[in-house]
Amino acid sequence: MTPLALALLSTWSLHARAQTAPAAPAASTLPAVTVSATVAPDATTEGTGSYASKTATIAGKSGQSIKEIPNSVSVLTRQRMDDQNMTTLQEALRYVTGVESVDYGDGTAYFKARGNTLGVEFDGVSIVSGLQYLQQFDLAMYDRVEVIRGPSGVMDGAGDPGGTVNLVRKRPQDTFHVSTETQIDSFGSARQMIDVTGPLNKDGSLRGRAVLVGSDGLQSVQGTRQKEVMAYGAIDYDFNPRTTLSLSAGYQVNPISGLDYGASGVVNSDRTALIGRVPGSYSQNFSPSWNYGYTSLEETNANLVHTFENGWKSQTTLFYRHELSKGDYAYAGPGATASGLSFYGEQRQRNTYDWFGADTNVQGAVQAFGQTHTFTIGANYSLLSTTQDSGFQSLNGPFANQTYSLYDPNAVQKVYVPFTYGANNRTEQYGVYAQGRIHLATPLTLVLGVRETFFQETSQTIIPTVSDWTTQAQLNHRFLPSAGLVYDILPSMTAYASYSKFLTAQTATTYTGQGLPPRSGEQYEVGLKNSFLNNRLSTTVAAFRINDNNRAITDPNSPTGQGSIAGGKSTDQGFEVEVTGEPMPNWNVYAGYTYLDVNFENDTPDLTDGTDPKHLFKLWTSYKFTQGLMSGVTVGGGMLAQTRISRGVEQGAYAIFNATVGYRFNSHVEASLQLNNLFNRSYYIRPPGSFYSVFGDRRNVMLTLRSDF
């Protein structure tokens, strides 16, 4: 029997014992221990009308009070997504405290926090390598986006210590409801969404939901056009008041034409260093018009929840996602001259990704020593299988001594590019975990987490020849602990301190071909969380330090000049401040500030993804007038500001300002007009390196019409 099967069987046995095992007689020398009912708070944000969420599911598989979680947690609510007209995950995470969201140019992005990349969960199911540089579903299918910053190895296993994003889908509602959303913008884009939900039988035990989206989007960069069709459906069925089965499925396609990866930086005369950027407008497309890309997503999810008579709850979730990504495009680089002359190459690729995830757990409360303690015990499994085919053709190259002008990319002619490389890859991770919230005293809670994790990454080439499978990285029986203390200073004020360990598998090898040990380290975090105005307004202040050891670096003593050793270190430290909620009725506000200091020892930053801004500030606010001549009017606005970053070419500090005004015609229909990049600031989201760059959107206007019945 596999370790996963054993873990699932063990967890199911716990489920059964929680329901059927008779209570043992209490020992005369110990206080009585009893299992009692506990009801997890609902974390749904849809319909609250607020930017604040009191609870989140990302830290423990069910709703927990954010104030009682000894980590930095942010929740992007449905209301804020609507007010800021967010439709993609990169737009959403760009306005989450401490998160860098950097577009890649092809509809995907990469995401970092605290100097490291983020992992992902879908409704609490951890998925290995499922976020970075990958197309994601339209935000219309999600209720909220939860983010925990810092390592979350107990629940997610091995991975980078930046944190985890949890995308929580919309669920069917128990009353009939229809909403629509129509958007057009000054680039010439149009988008339509319809969302229908309600009961499907007389007693309401069967409920359904369907969300449809269609869009035809032009972009800030001239000649780039991305279309989208998305369909999402969900069904909830109550077998009885204590057992619910939830099923959902999603499908989305995203063709993109005029795909532009931007221009690389200007190089010096011997092409050894980047010395600047190519001049030009911030709407310039530096790629030929025949570039194209195509992505399709398919997803299914099943969740079974049962509450036992003693109040304990079990839930099991199965998840599957398939993604097809293909494209044929030319791009500039490496480097360019100051006058805009560059080499070009054409790349053709076809990649498929198949994810499977499973999570099963049991959780509940125990009365002991005069206090109520809660425990979660579970197991999870994640598998990613990929097939990657690619080919590259230099359209000129240094040996041909021929370049093209970046200002006339259509002079680059398309050629046939065969697949010259192909590989199958398989990444598997599984483990068992437990978390306990132990109340040491009425104001003091000890939060302990443990995980035994297993990880393996294997691959084989299939083009030009088929090879045997080889192991790239492996972790067996690795122990990942976490610990936190939460002290309720006042009913509205909580202080916390936490420790968490992380492991990250590495595929680099020594010059003799031996694998390297994993990156390892720990995070220390302290913070203070407050709630004001009857929990309408929340604040968080947190300080953190991440020690990252055993980083792969080039072996300075290698006799071959190749190979790596685990000799690098980094320290990521800083602090965060977040304010979110309603300081006054009808006034919503969100503000987040992050200071980050990244230091390397025997290592240097990887400029592939760029450096991290030392200061990062985000703001959005809106106010609804309900009386007088302005009744029905909503005004709002916000900003995003950050200090310098670099990918070889530096992007200086910048600030982007947005503003919006809306009007509610009646209880069913409202419209808003949003002006983005109010002062038409020119900037790079992804500054140039040896290859690639991405402009930030120039000033644009979006008109949105929403109906609600």
Side-chain angles (χ1 to χ4, degrees), residues 462-478:
I462 54 177
I463 299 175
T465 59
V466 178
S467 69
D468 294 333
W469 284 88
T470 59
T471 299
Q472 308 300 310
Q474 187 163 337
L475 304 174
N476 285 327
H477 294 286
R478 294 303 182 108

Side-chain angles (χ1 to χ4, degrees), residues 265-276 334-338 341 343 398 401:
V266 175
V267 294
N268 57 12
S269 58
D270 58 1
R271 308 186 71 86
T272 58
L274 295 170
I275 59 175
T337 67
L341 296 178
F343 301 115
N401 196 28

